[in-house]
mmCIF file of all heavy atoms in Angstrom:
data_model
loop_
_atom_site.group_PDB
_atom_site.id
_atom_site.type_symbol
_atom_site.label_atom_id
_atom_site.label_comp_id
_atom_site.label_asym_id
_atom_site.label_seq_id
_atom_site.Cartn_x
_atom_site.Cartn_y
_atom_site.Cartn_z
ATOM 1 N N VAL A 1 0.859 -1.208 -0.019
ATOM 2 C CA VAL A 1 0.050 0.033 0.021
ATOM 3 C C VAL A 1 0.876 1.264 -0.010
ATOM 4 O O VAL A 1 2.078 1.236 0.425
ATOM 5 C CB VAL A 1 -1.021 0.010 1.252
ATOM 6 C CG1 VAL A 1 -1.918 -1.154 1.187
ATOM 7 C CG2 VAL A 1 -0.200 0.001 2.605
ATOM 8 N N GLY A 2 0.259 2.407 -0.413
ATOM 9 C CA GLY A 2 1.054 3.628 -0.453
ATOM 10 C C GLY A 2 1.881 3.733 -1.629
ATOM 11 O O GLY A 2 2.900 4.484 -1.599
ATOM 12 N N ARG A 3 1.773 2.906 -2.719
ATOM 13 C CA ARG A 3 2.651 2.848 -3.856
ATOM 14 C C ARG A 3 2.101 3.344 -5.147
ATOM 15 O O ARG A 3 2.860 3.728 -6.107
ATOM 16 C CB ARG A 3 3.053 1.272 -3.995
ATOM 17 C CG ARG A 3 3.875 0.778 -2.795
ATOM 18 C CD ARG A 3 4.020 -0.727 -2.957
ATOM 19 N NE ARG A 3 5.037 -1.063 -4.051
ATOM 20 C CZ ARG A 3 6.181 -1.288 -3.904
ATOM 21 N NH1 ARG A 3 6.771 -1.322 -2.697
ATOM 22 N NH2 ARG A 3 7.037 -1.628 -4.903
ATOM 23 N N ASP A 4 0.788 3.362 -5.279
ATOM 24 C CA ASP A 4 0.168 3.845 -6.490
ATOM 25 C C ASP A 4 -1.143 4.578 -6.261
ATOM 26 O O ASP A 4 -2.155 4.079 -5.892
ATOM 27 C CB ASP A 4 -0.052 2.668 -7.426
ATOM 28 C CG ASP A 4 -0.621 3.149 -8.835
ATOM 29 O OD1 ASP A 4 -0.450 4.301 -9.217
ATOM 30 O OD2 ASP A 4 -1.331 2.312 -9.450
ATOM 31 N N PRO A 5 -1.168 5.915 -6.381
ATOM 32 C CA PRO A 5 0.014 6.776 -6.861
ATOM 33 C C PRO A 5 1.072 6.883 -5.740
ATOM 34 O O PRO A 5 0.745 6.551 -4.569
ATOM 35 C CB PRO A 5 -0.640 8.170 -7.024
ATOM 36 C CG PRO A 5 -1.873 8.119 -6.156
ATOM 37 C CD PRO A 5 -2.363 6.769 -6.188
ATOM 38 N N PRO A 6 2.214 7.344 -6.174
ATOM 39 C CA PRO A 6 3.317 7.303 -5.045
ATOM 40 C C PRO A 6 3.044 8.345 -3.874
ATOM 41 O O PRO A 6 2.173 9.161 -4.070
ATOM 42 C CB PRO A 6 4.571 7.792 -5.939
ATOM 43 C CG PRO A 6 4.006 8.490 -7.114
ATOM 44 C CD PRO A 6 2.703 7.737 -7.389
ATOM 45 N N ARG A 7 3.753 8.203 -2.905
ATOM 46 C CA ARG A 7 3.515 8.928 -1.764
ATOM 47 C C ARG A 7 3.718 10.469 -1.976
ATOM 48 O O ARG A 7 3.081 11.298 -1.296
ATOM 49 C CB ARG A 7 4.433 8.534 -0.634
ATOM 50 C CG ARG A 7 4.094 9.149 0.792
ATOM 51 C CD ARG A 7 4.756 8.494 1.876
ATOM 52 N NE ARG A 7 4.473 9.075 3.156
ATOM 53 C CZ ARG A 7 4.878 8.512 4.368
ATOM 54 N NH1 ARG A 7 5.588 7.382 4.372
ATOM 55 N NH2 ARG A 7 4.567 9.096 5.450
ATOM 56 N N ALA A 8 4.602 10.758 -2.919
ATOM 57 C CA ALA A 8 4.855 12.261 -3.246
ATOM 58 C C ALA A 8 3.473 12.954 -3.720
ATOM 59 O O ALA A 8 3.338 14.134 -3.454
ATOM 60 C CB ALA A 8 5.899 12.330 -4.273
ATOM 61 N N ILE A 9 2.644 12.139 -4.298
ATOM 62 C CA ILE A 9 1.306 12.629 -4.756
ATOM 63 C C ILE A 9 0.228 12.580 -3.674
ATOM 64 O O ILE A 9 -0.473 13.379 -3.434
ATOM 65 C CB ILE A 9 0.922 11.831 -6.015
ATOM 66 C CG1 ILE A 9 1.907 12.256 -7.151
ATOM 67 C CG2 ILE A 9 -0.473 12.308 -6.407
ATOM 68 C CD1 ILE A 9 1.663 11.533 -8.486
ATOM 69 N N MET A 10 0.331 11.337 -3.029
ATOM 70 C CA MET A 10 -0.753 11.024 -2.033
ATOM 71 C C MET A 10 -0.528 11.866 -0.703
ATOM 72 O O MET A 10 -1.472 12.299 0.011
ATOM 73 C CB MET A 10 -0.753 9.590 -1.571
ATOM 74 C CG MET A 10 -1.201 8.645 -2.559
ATOM 75 S SD MET A 10 -1.072 6.970 -2.009
ATOM 76 C CE MET A 10 -2.246 7.003 -0.716
ATOM 77 N N ARG A 11 0.794 12.175 -0.518
ATOM 78 C CA ARG A 11 1.104 12.951 0.783
ATOM 79 C C ARG A 11 0.753 12.326 2.058
ATOM 80 O O ARG A 11 0.437 13.026 3.008
ATOM 81 C CB ARG A 11 0.522 14.400 0.617
ATOM 82 C CG ARG A 11 1.127 15.162 -0.603
ATOM 83 C CD ARG A 11 0.648 16.607 -0.599
ATOM 84 N NE ARG A 11 1.258 17.307 -1.793
ATOM 85 C CZ ARG A 11 0.928 18.596 -2.078
ATOM 86 N NH1 ARG A 11 0.175 19.358 -1.185
ATOM 87 N NH2 ARG A 11 1.348 19.161 -3.133
ATOM 88 N N ARG A 12 0.664 11.060 2.046
ATOM 89 C CA ARG A 12 0.329 10.318 3.220
ATOM 90 C C ARG A 12 0.730 8.809 2.976
ATOM 91 O O ARG A 12 0.763 8.395 1.824
ATOM 92 C CB ARG A 12 -1.112 10.414 3.609
ATOM 93 C CG ARG A 12 -2.103 9.663 2.603
ATOM 94 C CD ARG A 12 -3.469 9.500 3.163
ATOM 95 N NE ARG A 12 -4.417 8.968 2.333
ATOM 96 C CZ ARG A 12 -4.579 7.632 2.123
ATOM 97 N NH1 ARG A 12 -3.804 6.789 2.647
ATOM 98 N NH2 ARG A 12 -5.484 7.180 1.237
ATOM 99 N N PRO A 13 1.017 8.081 4.035
ATOM 100 C CA PRO A 13 1.296 6.595 3.887
ATOM 101 C C PRO A 13 0.081 5.852 3.443
ATOM 102 O O PRO A 13 -1.035 6.402 3.679
ATOM 103 C CB PRO A 13 1.825 6.174 5.209
ATOM 104 C CG PRO A 13 1.200 7.129 6.130
ATOM 105 C CD PRO A 13 1.137 8.392 5.447
ATOM 106 N N GLY A 14 0.231 4.704 2.814
ATOM 107 C CA GLY A 14 -1.007 3.893 2.598
ATOM 108 C C GLY A 14 -1.529 3.332 3.910
ATOM 109 O O GLY A 14 -0.891 3.212 4.870
ATOM 110 N N ARG A 15 -2.809 2.906 3.744
ATOM 111 C CA ARG A 15 -3.474 2.299 4.981
ATOM 112 C C ARG A 15 -4.189 1.122 4.663
ATOM 113 O O ARG A 15 -4.574 0.803 3.551
ATOM 114 C CB ARG A 15 -4.432 3.406 5.520
ATOM 115 C CG ARG A 15 -3.895 4.673 5.934
ATOM 116 C CD ARG A 15 -4.835 5.596 6.749
ATOM 117 N NE ARG A 15 -4.109 6.759 7.271
ATOM 118 C CZ ARG A 15 -4.253 7.981 6.705
ATOM 119 N NH1 ARG A 15 -4.818 8.085 5.599
ATOM 120 N NH2 ARG A 15 -3.657 8.992 7.269
ATOM 121 N N ILE A 16 -4.335 0.222 5.630
ATOM 122 C CA ILE A 16 -5.111 -0.998 5.497
ATOM 123 C C ILE A 16 -6.296 -0.766 6.479
ATOM 124 O O ILE A 16 -6.120 -0.597 7.585
ATOM 125 C CB ILE A 16 -4.257 -2.188 5.940
ATOM 126 C CG1 ILE A 16 -2.984 -2.359 5.011
ATOM 127 C CG2 ILE A 16 -5.080 -3.444 5.796
ATOM 128 C CD1 ILE A 16 -2.135 -3.406 5.364
ATOM 129 N N PHE A 17 -7.448 -0.922 5.930
ATOM 130 C CA PHE A 17 -8.755 -0.976 6.659
ATOM 131 C C PHE A 17 -9.353 -2.323 6.706
ATOM 132 O O PHE A 17 -8.908 -3.238 5.945
ATOM 133 C CB PHE A 17 -9.766 0.020 6.067
ATOM 134 C CG PHE A 17 -9.223 1.341 5.855
ATOM 135 C CD1 PHE A 17 -8.519 1.734 4.763
ATOM 136 C CD2 PHE A 17 -9.486 2.331 6.870
ATOM 137 C CE1 PHE A 17 -8.091 3.078 4.493
ATOM 138 C CE2 PHE A 17 -8.977 3.644 6.729
ATOM 139 C CZ PHE A 17 -8.195 3.953 5.521
ATOM 140 N N GLY A 18 -10.227 -2.542 7.623
ATOM 141 C CA GLY A 18 -10.955 -3.841 7.609
ATOM 142 C C GLY A 18 -12.122 -3.879 8.533
ATOM 143 O O GLY A 18 -12.309 -2.890 9.377
ATOM 144 N N ASP A 19 -12.976 -4.834 8.514
ATOM 145 C CA ASP A 19 -14.067 -5.079 9.341
ATOM 146 C C ASP A 19 -14.139 -6.443 9.841
ATOM 147 O O ASP A 19 -13.562 -7.400 9.214
ATOM 148 C CB ASP A 19 -15.402 -4.627 8.632
ATOM 149 C CG ASP A 19 -15.803 -5.558 7.437
ATOM 150 O OD1 ASP A 19 -16.026 -6.694 7.642
ATOM 151 O OD2 ASP A 19 -15.573 -5.100 6.287
ATOM 152 N N GLN A 20 -14.807 -6.670 10.881
ATOM 153 C CA GLN A 20 -14.931 -8.064 11.500
ATOM 154 C C GLN A 20 -15.892 -8.062 12.650
ATOM 155 O O GLN A 20 -16.162 -7.014 13.110
ATOM 156 C CB GLN A 20 -13.542 -8.560 11.992
ATOM 157 C CG GLN A 20 -13.047 -7.701 13.140
ATOM 158 C CD GLN A 20 -11.713 -8.215 13.699
ATOM 159 O OE1 GLN A 20 -10.741 -7.678 13.654
ATOM 160 N NE2 GLN A 20 -11.747 -9.423 14.376
ATOM 161 N N ASN A 21 -16.434 -9.275 12.944
ATOM 162 C CA ASN A 21 -17.111 -9.522 14.145
ATOM 163 C C ASN A 21 -16.099 -9.681 15.277
ATOM 164 O O ASN A 21 -14.843 -9.988 15.050
ATOM 165 C CB ASN A 21 -18.029 -10.828 14.003
ATOM 166 C CG ASN A 21 -19.209 -10.555 13.093
ATOM 167 O OD1 ASN A 21 -19.876 -9.582 13.168
ATOM 168 N ND2 ASN A 21 -19.328 -11.530 12.133
ATOM 169 N N PRO A 22 -16.510 -9.612 16.471
ATOM 170 C CA PRO A 22 -15.533 -9.872 17.615
ATOM 171 C C PRO A 22 -14.887 -11.201 17.386
ATOM 172 O O PRO A 22 -15.573 -12.169 17.248
ATOM 173 C CB PRO A 22 -16.449 -9.769 18.832
ATOM 174 C CG PRO A 22 -17.640 -8.946 18.415
ATOM 175 C CD PRO A 22 -17.864 -9.224 17.012
ATOM 176 N N PRO A 23 -13.600 -11.225 17.540
ATOM 177 C CA PRO A 23 -12.899 -12.495 17.216
ATOM 178 C C PRO A 23 -12.813 -13.451 18.356
ATOM 179 O O PRO A 23 -13.054 -13.142 19.563
ATOM 180 C CB PRO A 23 -11.487 -11.931 16.850
ATOM 181 C CG PRO A 23 -11.384 -10.787 17.729
ATOM 182 C CD PRO A 23 -12.702 -10.178 17.793
ATOM 183 N N ASP A 24 -12.412 -14.684 17.971
ATOM 184 C CA ASP A 24 -12.002 -15.671 18.989
ATOM 185 C C ASP A 24 -10.667 -15.286 19.616
ATOM 186 O O ASP A 24 -9.903 -14.598 18.937
ATOM 187 C CB ASP A 24 -11.850 -17.021 18.223
ATOM 188 C CG ASP A 24 -11.563 -18.141 19.132
ATOM 189 O OD1 ASP A 24 -10.335 -18.216 19.457
ATOM 190 O OD2 ASP A 24 -12.380 -19.000 19.489
ATOM 191 N N VAL A 25 -10.521 -15.588 20.896
ATOM 192 C CA VAL A 25 -9.285 -15.130 21.487
ATOM 193 C C VAL A 25 -7.920 -15.817 21.032
ATOM 194 O O VAL A 25 -6.866 -15.263 21.367
ATOM 195 C CB VAL A 25 -9.338 -15.514 22.979
ATOM 196 C CG1 VAL A 25 -10.501 -14.661 23.597
ATOM 197 C CG2 VAL A 25 -9.508 -17.023 23.324
ATOM 198 N N LEU A 26 -8.179 -16.794 20.169
ATOM 199 C CA LEU A 26 -6.924 -17.360 19.545
ATOM 200 C C LEU A 26 -6.555 -16.758 18.128
ATOM 201 O O LEU A 26 -5.572 -16.950 17.567
ATOM 202 C CB LEU A 26 -7.064 -18.907 19.380
ATOM 203 C CG LEU A 26 -7.301 -19.668 20.707
ATOM 204 C CD1 LEU A 26 -7.326 -21.197 20.328
ATOM 205 C CD2 LEU A 26 -6.156 -19.424 21.654
ATOM 206 N N ASN A 27 -7.499 -15.786 17.773
ATOM 207 C CA ASN A 27 -7.319 -15.216 16.312
ATOM 208 C C ASN A 27 -6.228 -14.219 16.495
ATOM 209 O O ASN A 27 -6.016 -13.545 17.523
ATOM 210 C CB ASN A 27 -8.645 -14.634 15.968
ATOM 211 C CG ASN A 27 -8.623 -14.173 14.490
ATOM 212 O OD1 ASN A 27 -8.129 -13.080 14.201
ATOM 213 N ND2 ASN A 27 -9.041 -15.093 13.560
ATOM 214 N N TRP A 28 -5.432 -13.984 15.436
ATOM 215 C CA TRP A 28 -4.330 -13.104 15.402
ATOM 216 C C TRP A 28 -4.860 -11.640 15.554
ATOM 217 O O TRP A 28 -4.152 -10.745 16.115
ATOM 218 C CB TRP A 28 -3.520 -13.254 14.126
ATOM 219 C CG TRP A 28 -4.215 -12.906 12.884
ATOM 220 C CD1 TRP A 28 -4.971 -13.741 12.109
ATOM 221 C CD2 TRP A 28 -4.290 -11.648 12.138
ATOM 222 N NE1 TRP A 28 -5.510 -13.158 11.027
ATOM 223 C CE2 TRP A 28 -4.993 -11.787 11.061
ATOM 224 C CE3 TRP A 28 -3.595 -10.408 12.512
ATOM 225 C CZ2 TRP A 28 -5.204 -10.793 10.067
ATOM 226 C CZ3 TRP A 28 -3.879 -9.317 11.540
ATOM 227 C CH2 TRP A 28 -4.667 -9.569 10.375
ATOM 228 N N THR A 29 -6.042 -11.303 15.111
ATOM 229 C CA THR A 29 -6.531 -9.987 15.244
ATOM 230 C C THR A 29 -6.867 -9.682 16.771
ATOM 231 O O THR A 29 -6.765 -8.513 17.232
ATOM 232 C CB THR A 29 -7.857 -9.717 14.426
ATOM 233 O OG1 THR A 29 -8.904 -10.624 14.915
ATOM 234 C CG2 THR A 29 -7.572 -10.007 12.987
ATOM 235 N N TYR A 30 -7.223 -10.712 17.473
ATOM 236 C CA TYR A 30 -7.417 -10.424 19.035
ATOM 237 C C TYR A 30 -6.132 -10.058 19.531
ATOM 238 O O TYR A 30 -6.069 -9.172 20.419
ATOM 239 C CB TYR A 30 -8.058 -11.696 19.654
ATOM 240 C CG TYR A 30 -8.111 -11.498 21.138
ATOM 241 C CD1 TYR A 30 -9.230 -10.854 21.738
ATOM 242 C CD2 TYR A 30 -7.195 -12.210 21.939
ATOM 243 C CE1 TYR A 30 -9.278 -10.712 23.038
ATOM 244 C CE2 TYR A 30 -7.373 -12.107 23.318
ATOM 245 C CZ TYR A 30 -8.341 -11.265 23.919
ATOM 246 O OH TYR A 30 -8.362 -11.222 25.260
#
């Protein structure tokens, strides 16, 4: 992320968004 268009144009780093239900306690997102 943050590669197209390049950061010089975006003027911010790329971001990763997501949604989920509350996870199991063994899940990596927890």
Side-chain angles (χ1 to χ4, degrees):
V1 297
R3 298 172 68 101
D4 184 22
R7 187 166 180 175
I9 297 177
M10 291 179 63
R11 298 184 181 180
R12 67 165 176 82
R15 296 189 176 98
I16 301 176
F17 303 88
D19 62 69
Q20 65 178 111
N21 288 311
D24 182 282
V25 297
L26 298 183
N27 192 273
W28 64 274
T29 62
Y30 174 77

